Amino acid sequence: MLDPDENEITVISFGFTCKRSGQHKQRYDSKVKHTIVHIINIFFANQPNDAILYMCITNDGKARNRHIIFNNWYHELNNGLEKHSSSSEHGKKGFYASILFKSNNPQKTRLISAFYFTIDYWGLNNL
């Protein structure tokens, strides 16, 4: 990410997608949710002053669905995390992103500013 002064801030990023094999119909698998929630919890237990950037993959037209699912999972985390998401304007272009960090992160203001600056820079200029 870049802050408004265009200084680089390093953050971990991740996304997820559903892989289908053959003609199998897509179905809900609660193990995926539990795995991702577990990974996020472990990450912040070990690195409480870092942040995670979540980008929804848009190549299959399901980015909005993944964004909604991730928001639901975030509400289930309930462990002192704060989430900021890209605007609805970005969503109309199929671009969804969120940043997660501990609410007491000493770099909170800088992370929020850098997230929105980067999303606006890349999302609006390159979509």
Side-chain angles (χ1 to χ4, degrees):
M1 292 189 319
L2 298 173
D3 69 14
D5 296 325
E6 296 193 18
N7 297 312
E8 189 172 324
I9 299 174
T10 303
V11 295
I12 302 297
S13 65
F14 83 98
F16 67 95
T17 188
C18 175
K19 288 194 173 194
R20 295 181 193 98
S21 58
Q23 298 296 324
H24 292 97
K25 185 177 178 181
Q26 182 178 344
R27 61 184 171 80
Y28 178 77
D29 183 351
S30 65
K31 290 182 253 177
V32 173
K33 174 184 83 169
H34 295 299
T35 300
I36 291 175
V37 167
H38 179 73
I39 290 168
I40 291 170
N41 283 329
I42 294 297
F43 175 83
F44 285 113
N46 292 316
Q47 297 171 210
N49 292 326
D50 285 339
I52 295 176
L53 181 63
Y54 171 67
M55 306 291 293
C56 294
I57 298 168
T58 60
N59 61 349
D60 63 355
K62 305 254 184 201
R64 182 177 178 273
N65 299 32
R66 279 189 280 284
H67 179 70
I68 291 168
I69 290 168
F70 185 72
N71 284 338
N72 291 338
W73 294 348
Y74 162 74
H75 291 295
E76 292 181 31
L77 285 169
N78 195 23
N79 62 353
L81 295 179
E82 191 168 313
K83 179 176 74 63
H84 293 265
S85 296
S86 54
S87 71
S88 59
E89 184 178 347
H90 293 98
K92 290 176 187 173
K93 295 181 178 185
F95 183 78
Y96 298 91
S98 297
I99 189 168
L100 288 174
F101 50 83
K102 291 284 225 177
S103 296
N104 62 356
N105 188 311
Q107 295 293 314
K108 176 180 174 173
T109 303
R110 185 173 184 227
L111 288 168
I112 294 168
S113 176
F115 172 73
Y116 287 115
F117 178 82
T118 301
I119 292 303
D120 286 341
Y121 180 84
W122 290 109
L124 294 178
N125 294 323
N126 295 308
L127 289 180

